[in-house]
Amino acid sequence: MKLQTIVLSATVLLSTTIGTAFAQFQNAEKAIDYRQSALTVMATHFGRIGAVVKGEAPYNKEDVAKNAAIVAMMSTLPWQAFGPGTEGGKAKADVWSDNAKFKSAAEKLQLATIDLNKAAQSGDLDSIKKAFGATGQACKACHDDFKKK
Amino acid sequence: MKLQTIVLSATVLLSTTIGTAFAQFQNAEKAIDYRQSALTVMATHFGRIGAVVKGEAPYNKEDVAKNAAIVAMMSTLPWQAFGPGTEGGKAKADVWSDNAKFKSAAEKLQLATIDLNKAAQSGDLDSIKKAFGATGQACKACHDDFKKK
Protein backbone atom coordinates (compact mmCIF):
# COMPACT_ATOMS: atom_id res chain seq x y z
CA MET A 1 0.00 0.00 0.00
CA LYS A 2 1.33 3.39 -0.96
CA LEU A 3 1.83 5.97 1.80
CA GLN A 4 -0.18 8.48 -0.22
CA THR A 5 -3.16 6.17 -0.15
CA ILE A 6 -2.95 5.89 3.60
CA VAL A 7 -2.73 9.62 4.16
CA LEU A 8 -5.57 10.39 1.76
CA SER A 9 -7.92 7.85 3.23
CA ALA A 10 -6.93 8.74 6.74
CA THR A 11 -8.72 12.01 7.12
CA VAL A 12 -11.53 11.41 9.54
CA LEU A 13 -14.20 14.01 9.97
CA LEU A 14 -15.95 13.99 13.28
CA SER A 15 -18.98 15.92 14.21
CA THR A 16 -19.96 15.77 17.84
CA THR A 17 -22.52 17.69 19.81
CA ILE A 18 -22.24 18.73 23.42
CA GLY A 19 -24.55 17.17 25.93
CA THR A 20 -24.81 15.37 29.20
CA ALA A 21 -27.16 12.47 28.40
CA PHE A 22 -26.36 9.22 30.21
CA ALA A 23 -25.24 6.08 28.44
CA GLN A 24 -25.56 2.50 29.62
CA PHE A 25 -22.53 0.83 31.18
CA GLN A 26 -22.27 -2.78 32.33
CA ASN A 27 -21.65 -1.66 35.90
CA ALA A 28 -20.40 1.26 37.99
CA GLU A 29 -16.79 0.12 37.69
CA LYS A 30 -16.95 0.26 33.90
CA ALA A 31 -18.53 3.72 34.02
CA ILE A 32 -15.87 5.00 36.41
CA ASP A 33 -13.09 3.53 34.28
CA TYR A 34 -14.59 5.11 31.16
CA ARG A 35 -15.02 8.60 32.58
CA GLN A 36 -11.56 8.62 34.18
CA SER A 37 -10.09 7.44 30.87
CA ALA A 38 -11.85 10.13 28.84
CA LEU A 39 -10.76 12.80 31.34
CA THR A 40 -7.15 11.50 31.27
CA VAL A 41 -6.97 11.75 27.48
CA MET A 42 -8.55 15.21 27.54
CA ALA A 43 -6.17 16.43 30.28
CA THR A 44 -3.13 15.11 28.42
CA HIS A 45 -3.90 17.07 25.26
CA PHE A 46 -5.00 20.13 27.22
CA GLY A 47 -1.68 19.98 29.06
CA ARG A 48 0.19 20.00 25.75
CA ILE A 49 -1.50 23.28 24.83
CA GLY A 50 -0.69 24.51 28.33
CA ALA A 51 3.01 23.89 27.78
CA VAL A 52 2.87 26.18 24.72
CA VAL A 53 0.79 28.81 26.52
CA LYS A 54 3.27 28.82 29.42
CA GLY A 55 6.21 29.12 27.03
CA GLU A 56 7.61 25.70 27.98
CA ALA A 57 7.19 24.41 24.43
CA PRO A 58 7.46 26.24 21.08
CA TYR A 59 4.23 27.27 19.35
CA ASN A 60 3.33 25.12 16.37
CA LYS A 61 -0.06 25.91 14.87
CA GLU A 62 -0.78 22.44 13.54
CA ASP A 63 0.07 20.72 16.83
CA VAL A 64 -1.99 23.09 18.96
CA ALA A 65 -4.91 22.84 16.52
CA LYS A 66 -4.80 19.05 16.66
CA ASN A 67 -4.61 19.01 20.46
CA ALA A 68 -7.46 21.50 20.77
CA ALA A 69 -9.65 19.47 18.42
CA ILE A 70 -9.01 16.37 20.51
CA VAL A 71 -9.80 18.30 23.72
CA ALA A 72 -13.06 19.59 22.23
CA MET A 73 -14.12 16.11 21.17
CA MET A 74 -13.06 14.47 24.45
CA SER A 75 -14.92 17.11 26.46
CA THR A 76 -18.22 15.72 25.14
CA LEU A 77 -17.58 12.20 26.45
CA PRO A 78 -17.12 11.83 30.23
CA TRP A 79 -20.56 13.05 31.38
CA GLN A 80 -22.52 10.13 29.94
CA ALA A 81 -20.73 7.95 32.50
CA PHE A 82 -21.98 9.78 35.62
CA GLY A 83 -25.41 8.15 35.51
CA PRO A 84 -27.45 7.01 38.51
CA GLY A 85 -25.77 4.15 40.35
CA THR A 86 -22.25 5.01 39.20
CA GLU A 87 -21.18 6.82 42.36
CA GLY A 88 -17.53 6.40 43.28
CA GLY A 89 -14.05 7.00 41.96
CA LYS A 90 -12.94 10.57 42.48
CA ALA A 91 -16.46 11.98 42.18
CA LYS A 92 -18.07 13.71 45.16
CA ALA A 93 -21.65 12.73 46.05
CA ASP A 94 -22.62 16.26 44.92
CA VAL A 95 -22.46 15.06 41.29
CA TRP A 96 -25.69 13.19 42.00
CA SER A 97 -27.23 15.29 44.77
CA ASP A 98 -26.77 18.53 42.80
CA ASN A 99 -26.91 17.05 39.32
CA ALA A 100 -28.30 20.16 37.59
CA LYS A 101 -25.29 22.17 38.75
CA PHE A 102 -22.93 19.39 37.65
CA LYS A 103 -24.49 19.25 34.19
CA SER A 104 -24.26 23.01 33.89
CA ALA A 105 -20.55 22.87 34.77
CA ALA A 106 -20.03 20.12 32.20
CA GLU A 107 -21.74 22.21 29.52
CA LYS A 108 -19.64 25.24 30.38
CA LEU A 109 -16.50 23.20 29.87
CA GLN A 110 -17.70 21.88 26.52
CA LEU A 111 -18.48 25.41 25.32
CA ALA A 112 -15.08 26.63 26.54
CA THR A 113 -13.28 23.89 24.60
CA ILE A 114 -15.21 24.82 21.46
CA ASP A 115 -13.85 28.38 21.82
CA LEU A 116 -10.38 26.97 22.45
CA ASN A 117 -10.66 24.85 19.32
CA LYS A 118 -11.77 27.85 17.24
CA ALA A 119 -8.88 29.92 18.56
CA ALA A 120 -6.44 27.09 17.88
CA GLN A 121 -7.66 26.62 14.31
CA SER A 122 -7.31 30.40 13.73
CA GLY A 123 -3.69 30.27 14.79
CA ASP A 124 -3.81 33.46 16.86
CA LEU A 125 -1.69 32.77 19.92
CA ASP A 126 -3.23 35.57 22.02
CA SER A 127 -6.72 34.13 21.44
CA ILE A 128 -5.39 30.68 22.25
CA LYS A 129 -3.95 31.91 25.54
CA LYS A 130 -7.23 33.59 26.49
CA ALA A 131 -9.33 30.55 25.55
CA PHE A 132 -6.90 28.24 27.32
CA GLY A 133 -7.30 30.28 30.51
CA ALA A 134 -11.08 30.20 30.27
CA THR A 135 -11.05 26.45 29.70
CA GLY A 136 -8.76 25.94 32.67
CA GLN A 137 -11.18 27.96 34.80
CA ALA A 138 -14.03 25.70 33.67
CA CYS A 139 -12.00 22.61 34.60
CA LYS A 140 -11.16 24.09 38.00
CA ALA A 141 -14.71 25.25 38.78
CA CYS A 142 -16.04 21.74 38.24
CA HIS A 143 -13.18 20.09 40.15
CA ASP A 144 -13.68 22.46 43.12
CA ASP A 145 -17.31 21.47 43.44
CA PHE A 146 -17.39 17.88 42.25
CA LYS A 147 -13.99 16.18 42.49
CA LYS A 148 -12.55 14.68 45.67
CA LYS A 149 -9.27 16.20 46.81
CA MET B 1 -28.19 30.95 26.91
CA LYS B 2 -30.64 29.43 24.46
CA LEU B 3 -30.38 25.71 23.78
CA GLN B 4 -30.30 26.42 20.05
CA THR B 5 -27.19 28.54 20.51
CA ILE B 6 -25.49 25.75 22.34
CA VAL B 7 -26.30 23.15 19.73
CA LEU B 8 -25.26 25.39 16.84
CA SER B 9 -21.95 26.35 18.36
CA ALA B 10 -21.33 22.84 19.55
CA THR B 11 -20.48 21.24 16.24
CA VAL B 12 -16.82 20.41 16.38
CA LEU B 13 -15.03 19.37 13.27
CA LEU B 14 -12.03 17.20 13.80
CA SER B 15 -9.50 16.19 11.25
CA THR B 16 -6.99 13.63 12.38
CA THR B 17 -4.41 11.68 10.48
CA ILE B 18 -3.27 8.19 11.21
CA GLY B 19 0.24 7.67 12.40
CA THR B 20 2.46 6.13 15.00
CA ALA B 21 4.83 8.97 15.90
CA PHE B 22 5.84 9.12 19.57
CA ALA B 23 4.90 11.97 21.87
CA GLN B 24 6.65 13.10 25.04
CA PHE B 25 5.22 11.99 28.38
CA GLN B 26 6.47 13.01 31.81
CA ASN B 27 7.29 9.41 32.66
CA ALA B 28 6.43 5.82 31.77
CA GLU B 29 3.52 5.74 34.21
CA LYS B 30 1.87 8.71 32.49
CA ALA B 31 2.37 7.11 29.07
CA ILE B 32 0.88 3.81 30.25
CA ASP B 33 -2.09 5.59 31.83
CA TYR B 34 -2.65 7.59 28.63
CA ARG B 35 -2.53 4.65 26.25
CA GLN B 36 -4.75 2.47 28.45
CA SER B 37 -7.21 5.36 28.74
CA ALA B 38 -7.34 5.93 24.99
CA LEU B 39 -7.82 2.20 24.38
CA THR B 40 -10.57 2.03 27.04
CA VAL B 41 -12.53 4.85 25.41
CA MET B 42 -12.07 3.29 21.97
CA ALA B 43 -13.14 -0.16 23.20
CA THR B 44 -16.24 1.24 24.89
CA HIS B 45 -17.55 2.86 21.73
CA PHE B 46 -16.51 -0.09 19.58
CA GLY B 47 -18.45 -2.32 21.97
CA ARG B 48 -21.57 -0.21 21.47
CA ILE B 49 -21.39 -0.84 17.74
CA GLY B 50 -20.80 -4.50 18.54
CA ALA B 51 -24.03 -4.68 20.50
CA VAL B 52 -25.90 -3.50 17.39
CA VAL B 53 -24.00 -5.83 15.08
CA LYS B 54 -24.79 -8.78 17.37
CA GLY B 55 -28.46 -7.81 17.54
CA GLU B 56 -28.32 -7.04 21.26
CA ALA B 57 -29.26 -3.41 20.66
CA PRO B 58 -31.50 -1.83 18.00
CA TYR B 59 -29.83 -0.19 15.00
CA ASN B 60 -29.88 3.59 15.11
CA LYS B 61 -27.90 5.21 12.31
CA GLU B 62 -26.98 8.37 14.20
CA ASP B 63 -25.74 6.50 17.27
CA VAL B 64 -23.63 4.05 15.29
CA ALA B 65 -22.21 6.87 13.18
CA LYS B 66 -21.24 8.82 16.29
CA ASN B 67 -19.66 5.78 17.93
CA ALA B 68 -17.74 4.91 14.76
CA ALA B 69 -16.44 8.47 14.43
CA ILE B 70 -15.21 8.35 18.03
CA VAL B 71 -13.58 4.95 17.41
CA ALA B 72 -11.81 6.28 14.30
CA MET B 73 -10.49 9.31 16.15
CA MET B 74 -9.47 7.33 19.24
CA SER B 75 -7.65 4.75 17.10
CA THR B 76 -5.10 7.42 16.16
CA LEU B 77 -4.12 8.18 19.76
CA PRO B 78 -2.66 5.26 21.78
CA TRP B 79 0.45 4.58 19.69
CA GLN B 80 2.22 7.85 20.52
CA ALA B 81 2.44 6.55 24.11
CA PHE B 82 4.45 3.40 23.33
CA GLY B 83 7.76 5.27 23.00
CA PRO B 84 11.16 4.05 24.18
CA GLY B 85 11.31 3.73 27.96
CA THR B 86 7.57 3.26 28.42
CA GLU B 87 7.65 -0.52 28.74
CA GLY B 88 5.09 -1.97 31.13
CA GLY B 89 1.37 -2.13 31.73
CA LYS B 90 -0.27 -4.81 29.62
CA ALA B 91 2.21 -4.44 26.77
CA LYS B 92 4.49 -7.34 25.86
CA ALA B 93 8.19 -6.59 25.35
CA ASP B 94 7.58 -7.38 21.67
CA VAL B 95 6.10 -3.89 21.22
CA TRP B 96 9.64 -2.57 21.50
CA SER B 97 11.66 -5.54 20.25
CA ASP B 98 9.53 -5.89 17.09
CA ASN B 99 8.45 -2.27 16.79
CA ALA B 100 8.02 -2.26 13.01
CA LYS B 101 5.48 -5.07 13.26
CA PHE B 102 3.70 -3.28 16.11
CA LYS B 103 3.46 -0.06 14.12
CA SER B 104 2.16 -1.95 11.12
CA ALA B 105 -0.54 -3.55 13.30
CA ALA B 106 -1.45 -0.12 14.68
CA GLU B 107 -1.78 1.31 11.16
CA LYS B 108 -3.95 -1.62 10.07
CA LEU B 109 -6.33 -0.90 12.92
CA GLN B 110 -6.50 2.80 12.08
CA LEU B 111 -7.31 2.01 8.44
CA ALA B 112 -9.96 -0.52 9.51
CA THR B 113 -11.65 2.07 11.74
CA ILE B 114 -11.72 4.55 8.85
CA ASP B 115 -13.62 1.95 6.81
CA LEU B 116 -15.92 1.32 9.76
CA ASN B 117 -16.57 5.04 10.07
CA LYS B 118 -17.36 5.31 6.35
CA ALA B 119 -19.75 2.37 6.57
CA ALA B 120 -21.40 3.85 9.66
CA GLN B 121 -21.89 7.25 8.03
CA SER B 122 -23.42 5.54 4.97
CA GLY B 123 -25.97 3.81 7.16
CA ASP B 124 -25.74 0.46 5.39
CA LEU B 125 -25.95 -2.14 8.17
CA ASP B 126 -24.41 -4.94 6.08
CA SER B 127 -21.35 -2.77 5.39
CA ILE B 128 -21.20 -1.85 9.06
CA LYS B 129 -21.23 -5.54 10.04
CA LYS B 130 -18.45 -6.34 7.57
CA ALA B 131 -16.31 -3.39 8.66
CA PHE B 132 -16.96 -4.14 12.32
CA GLY B 133 -15.68 -7.69 11.80
CA ALA B 134 -12.55 -6.47 10.03
CA THR B 135 -11.87 -3.95 12.78
CA GLY B 136 -12.32 -6.62 15.44
CA GLN B 137 -9.81 -8.78 13.57
CA ALA B 138 -7.32 -5.90 13.60
CA CYS B 139 -7.81 -5.48 17.36
CA LYS B 140 -7.35 -9.19 17.94
CA ALA B 141 -4.29 -9.54 15.72
CA CYS B 142 -2.48 -6.82 17.65
CA HIS B 143 -3.61 -8.16 21.06
CA ASP B 144 -2.46 -11.69 20.15
CA ASP B 145 1.04 -10.45 19.39
CA PHE B 146 1.50 -7.50 21.71
CA LYS B 147 -0.83 -7.66 24.71
CA LYS B 148 -0.22 -9.73 27.83
CA LYS B 149 -2.89 -12.33 28.57
Side-chain angles (χ1 to χ4, degrees):
Chain A
M1 188 185 299
K2 288 185 205 160
L3 184 63
Q4 190 67 8
T5 320
I6 296 182
V7 175
L8 280 177
S9 62
T11 303
V12 177
L13 283 175
L14 281 191
S15 164
T16 53
T17 42
I18 71 165
T20 52
F22 300 133
Q24 279 296 108
F25 288 86
Q26 250 179 300
N27 52 45
E29 202 187 323
K30 291 269 184 194
I32 293 167
D33 189 26
Y34 174 87
R35 67 202 189 203
Q36 292 186 347
S37 294
L39 289 162
T40 293
V41 173
M42 178 166 65
T44 302
H45 292 275
F46 185 64
R48 289 186 192 161
I49 302 171
V52 173
V53 165
K54 290 166 199 160
E56 297 162 6
Y59 174 55
N60 175 294
K61 182 184 169 179
E62 198 191 334
D63 284 350
V64 170
K66 193 176 282 189
N67 284 315
I70 294 170
V71 168
M73 206 285 284
M74 297 309 299
S75 79
T76 66
L77 300 182
W79 328 111
Q80 63 189 282
F82 287 92
T86 66
E87 289 83 350
K90 297 167 190 165
K92 285 188 192 169
D94 305 66
V95 168
W96 292 271
S97 63
D98 198 354
N99 199 248
K101 191 179 177 186
F102 177 68
K103 285 187 167 178
S104 165
E107 284 184 7
K108 273 180 197 158
L109 173 72
Q110 293 172 71
L111 292 171
T113 67
I114 289 167
D115 286 343
L116 176 60
N117 189 36
K118 277 182 195 157
Q121 309 302 326
S122 81
D124 177 48
L125 188 52
D126 279 341
S127 306
I128 293 168
K129 284 179 181 175
K130 216 171 280 179
F132 177 85
T135 305
Q137 283 300 315
C139 294
K140 187 182 178 305
C142 195
H143 289 176
D144 285 349
D145 287 338
F146 298 107
K147 188 184 175 188
K148 285 181 189 160
K149 301 276 177 266
Chain B
M1 188 183 297
K2 287 187 207 157
L3 184 66
Q4 190 67 8
T5 320
I6 297 182
V7 175
L8 281 176
S9 63
T11 302
V12 179
L13 284 175
L14 282 189
S15 164
T16 52
T17 42
I18 71 166
T20 52
F22 300 133
Q24 279 295 108
F25 288 86
Q26 250 178 300
N27 51 47
E29 202 188 321
K30 291 270 184 195
I32 293 168
D33 190 26
Y34 175 87
R35 69 201 188 205
Q36 291 185 347
S37 293
L39 290 161
T40 292
V41 173
M42 178 166 65
T44 302
H45 292 276
F46 185 65
R48 289 186 192 161
I49 303 170
V52 174
V53 164
K54 289 165 198 160
E56 296 161 7
Y59 173 55
N60 174 294
K61 182 183 169 179
E62 198 192 332
D63 285 350
V64 170
K66 192 176 281 187
N67 283 316
I70 294 170
V71 168
M73 205 284 284
M74 297 309 300
S75 79
T76 65
L77 299 182
W79 328 112
Q80 63 190 284
F82 286 94
T86 66
E87 289 83 350
K90 297 168 190 165
K92 285 188 193 170
D94 305 66
V95 168
W96 292 271
S97 63
D98 198 355
N99 198 248
K101 190 178 177 188
F102 177 69
K103 285 187 167 178
S104 165
E107 284 184 6
K108 273 181 196 157
L109 173 71
Q110 292 173 73
L111 292 171
T113 68
I114 289 168
D115 286 343
L116 176 60
N117 189 37
K118 277 183 195 157
Q121 309 302 326
S122 81
D124 178 47
L125 189 53
D126 279 343
S127 305
I128 293 168
K129 285 181 181 174
K130 216 172 276 180
F132 176 87
T135 304
Q137 283 301 314
C139 295
K140 188 183 178 304
C142 195
H143 288 177
D144 285 349
D145 287 340
F146 298 107
K147 188 184 175 190
K148 285 180 189 162
K149 301 279 177 264

